[in-house]
Amino acid sequence: MNFRNLAGLTVLMLLFLLPKQNMAQKKGIAVSEINSVSSFPIVDGGKASSIYFDEKDAEVVEIAAEAFKDDIHLLTGTAAPVFKNNPALSVYPIIIGTLGQSFYIDQLAKAEKIDHRTLSGKWETFSVSVIENPIKGVKRALVIAGSDRRGTAYGVFQLSRLLGVSPLCWWADVKPATKKSLYIKADLPLVESPSVKYRGIFINDEDWGIQPWAAKMMDTDVKDIGPKTYTKIFELLLRLKANYIWPGMHPSTKAFYHYADNPVLADKYAIVLGSSHCEPMLRNNVFEWTANFEHEYGKKPGEWRYDLNKNEIDKYWTDRVVQAKNYESVYTVGMRGIHDGSMPGPKDKNAKVKLLEEIITDQRTILSNNITKPVNSIPQIFCPYKEVLSLYQAGLKLPDDVTIVWADDNHGYIRQLSNPEEQKRSGGSGVYYHISYWGAPQDYLWLSSISPSLISYELTKAYQYKADRLWVVNVGDIKPAEMETQFAMDLAWNVNEWKPENADQYAESWAAETFGAEFAKPVAEIKAIYYRLAQAAKPEHMASVNFTNEQAEERLAAYRKIYDQAKSLNEKIPARLKDAYFELILYPVESAMLMNQKILYAKKSLVLAANGDQSALIYSKKSKSAFDQIQLITKKYNEEIANGKWNGMMSWKPRDLAVFKMPKVADSVTSKEIGTVAKTENKIILRAAEYAEKSVPKGVTLQTLKGLGLGGDGISLYPFTFKPIGETVLQNAAFTIYNIDFKTEGEHQVEVKCLPTQGVNDGIKVRYAISVNNDQPQIINISPASENNTWKQNVLRGYASGLTKHEINKTGKSTVKIYMLDPGLVINRLEIQ
């Protein structure tokens, strides 16, 4: 039957005469290799159903349709025909299209075979449904419809994911199991839309990973991160249902706009272009101002200082806006240094605030003069990162429609969120979050070890404070942060699916999807311990954190255990997934273990040697062996895994920092005393979740959060938006009680170890109050001033703590009462001595 050439009235009459599809917005999709009465055959009897789309639809729809064809082939070895505008549909067609852009979808919507109300006017919404007899000659149709171009693409890639194709199929070599047949049953349409409007990643600190890899393996003509690499990045973003990118911008990388095909490709893939906190107006200053300005303008640039060089800087920004105006973009406004430094200008803070206000006003004038829509409808962000936060707090007047993108402290703990007045701003707010970082007090650019539980806790908190406009995550080189990146984007798509109380279960769900159900629990157990150990010291931070003998032995034993588990599991992993397993599980686990062995065995060798113990030399050898093994497995990653596909991606020594080098070890045994490893102290240690009693006022709940913080769990109050409790009304606070058996009288110290979070708003602290045997409660704030020495210590060791002293008048049972006073407080453990 000729679908396109039917007169509109005839089409509608035919469609209206047929039974209407149930329009419920509920997940009802089941995938099977076995046919059933109401199933749609994607592949049946060695033949794949044909794919149809309207060539007038957006380019990304064709990209998604072709990718879906490739995914079907990857799953079944069967080629699905793809047709543009074919008027004659097959008996079982797969129809892909955007409402208002696709003839197929519009006709189905007019006939109420799909519910246009679920899509019309919505942002990035999709519907996947199986429709019986949509027109004469078509028995059953699989319809993927989107509210806009990205919504359609997300529907396609979500279906691929449900069929068994991981979003990491290319980026981590996750090859799906092959199937002879493939059927889908959809009793109800699958309708989804995002929680966060703009969701994406920042390629950053790329000098030792993705940039040298791209130069060597992908964009070999330009020897840089260029169009071939970005094509793969953009497809990954679509598969993750992400839509936004801050491109790589380090000195090793030329500007995104330097390669003319880059923005064109971004538009084809419907990816929204942005730029980082130090790249106003989509300009990469490191390259475009410092290195390429003379080539672009025929003269050397003046000073990067707006109060002295306004006209030249304005033209520089204007030229980019003219170049970018036809591409979907989010403009960063404001100004910092050429790279990641403070804005040059007057020394007086108030004068700096006034200058920054002038800059933002002028930037908005540039946007208004060059883009033909109201400036308050052009997406703009202001990121109060590092020192810019102090300028904002000093009274910076920011236009109401500009989105404030709050930053974390670079180590996963958000510095500030919108207060009630800021939450009323039309521009709303968002978050810039790190799972990779170069900077103080120590980098973490090698492995990825920030847990889903922490990511969920902080970003859910942000969402409750209305930070739902834009989330951008610094993912470094993408690898080896694939799982954590996928989690962050899954959370941004559906913030309610992985709340802090169940985020620890993500690893099992992800492992089932990635490696298969039989491997899900073992992989999740490995990851849980991996994250717990990294909370107390990331592998990159091992040289900066001290452990007692007992703690060091526990770490070494725990790492050995999960490595043995990971290696044993590797023997059972199917051959098609060996590369993926090495990249995602085995390399990070073994590397973390080896780094701990290298550092801790070296320290032990020195202590033993100082005490004349000949076994010191054994530990020296163990340390050296670990150092050598890190290099060997990294060489394997680069040169052997996936037949050398990732050659140049993995460095075992980013920035060549001292922590990656061979530490000093004992080379002989002497009687000279050079120090000792910290000894285990006689403490009573309690998990905060092991309380004997609790009292929680109406309107809040006390949650035990697994996988969060020191020791692997903590307690916290929900929702995050409760009002802080004043110090004079502790009777209104939630509290927990712990029973302690003191063996001695006299003064005892209680240390309460907490997640090193920061206050949710400017002026709000992170406090608890403590009383022992009903003595006078002591109020403790565990959140230090940002980036002072206490903060540095806290983020390296994975906890903040409060110390209080209490007089115990009799031995035996005592009670410790802890009041929880501020939102965002997570208590992990009590240590009493």
Side-chain angles (χ1 to χ4, degrees), residues 494-744:
N494 184 352
V495 76
N496 292 316
E497 188 169 6
W498 298 107
K499 297 178 180 180
E501 57 263 40
N502 72 327
D504 68 299
Q505 298 169 26
Y506 181 82
E508 184 173 342
S509 173
W510 173 85
E513 180 182 56
T514 307
F515 300 111
E518 64 186 294
F519 302 108
K521 283 188 180 298
V523 167
E525 289 170 4
I526 290 166
K527 292 295 288 185
I529 297 174
Y530 172 83
Y531 289 130
R532 175 178 66 79
L533 293 169
Q535 177 68 32
K538 290 180 175 66
E540 298 92 334
H541 299 165
M542 278 300 297
S544 303
V545 180
N546 292 320
F547 296 98
T548 65
N549 288 328
E550 185 179 343
Q551 289 169 337
E553 292 302 324
E554 189 276 334
R555 289 182 71 80
L556 292 167
Y559 270 122
R560 170 55 69 177
K561 179 182 177 181
I562 60 171
Y563 169 68
D564 288 344
Q565 289 173 328
K567 194 171 182 182
S568 175
L569 202 59
N570 184 53
E571 302 302 314
K572 302 172 185 176
I573 292 286
R576 64 184 168 84
L577 290 170
K578 291 285 190 185
D579 290 337
Y581 186 78
F582 181 87
E583 296 164 43
L584 296 168
I585 305 298
L586 197 55
Y587 179 82
V589 168
E590 184 173 5
S591 296
M593 176 191 72
L594 292 169
M595 178 62 91
N596 275 260
Q597 289 178 344
K598 183 187 79 173
I599 299 292
L600 295 176
Y601 285 149
K603 288 183 177 179
K604 189 169 184 175
S605 76
L606 294 173
V607 172
L608 291 171
N611 291 297
D613 191 326
Q614 292 294 329
S615 67
L617 301 181
I618 296 174
Y619 289 101
S620 296
K621 288 181 180 178
K622 285 185 174 184
S623 176
K624 182 65 167 62
S625 176
F627 173 71
D628 293 341
Q629 185 64 15
I630 289 171
Q631 296 169 68
L632 289 174
I633 62 173
T634 304
K635 181 180 173 67
K636 178 179 180 179
Y637 195 124
N638 287 315
E639 298 180 9
E640 298 177 30
I641 294 301
N643 296 316
K645 174 180 174 180
W646 303 111
N647 199 354
M649 177 63 83
M650 188 55 60
S651 170
W652 59 272
K653 52 174 186 175
R655 289 220 294 146
D656 203 26
L657 296 180
V659 68
F660 297 116
K661 298 177 181 179
M662 183 61 203
K664 182 180 179 181
V665 295
D667 52 11
S668 62
V669 177
T670 68
S671 58
K672 184 181 178 182
E673 182 69 37
I674 62 168
T676 61
V677 175
K679 295 181 179 179
T680 303
E681 298 174 272
N682 185 24
K683 292 181 179 179
I684 300 170
I685 298 176
L686 281 177
R687 291 171 43 242
E690 296 176 320
Y691 51 81
E693 299 177 44
K694 69 174 180 178
S695 175
V696 181
K698 187 177 180 180
V700 295
T701 60
L702 180 66
Q703 297 275 357
T704 296
L705 304 174
K706 294 182 179 178
L708 183 63
L710 195 70
D713 65 9
I715 59 172
S716 189
L717 294 176
Y718 281 6
F720 291 107
T721 51
F722 75 86
K723 189 176 180 181
I725 304 297
E727 297 180 7
T728 60
V729 287
L730 295 184
Q731 68 272 16
N732 296 336
F735 63 81
T736 51
I737 293 176
Y738 303 86
N739 294 325
I740 307 295
D741 186 11
F742 285 103
K743 303 298 184 185
T744 60

Side-chain angles (χ1 to χ4, degrees), residues 90 93 117 212 222 270 468 488 540 565 686 701 795:
S90 59
R117 293 169 300 180
V222 297
D468 60 1
E540 298 92 334
Q565 289 173 328
L686 281 177
T701 60
V795 296

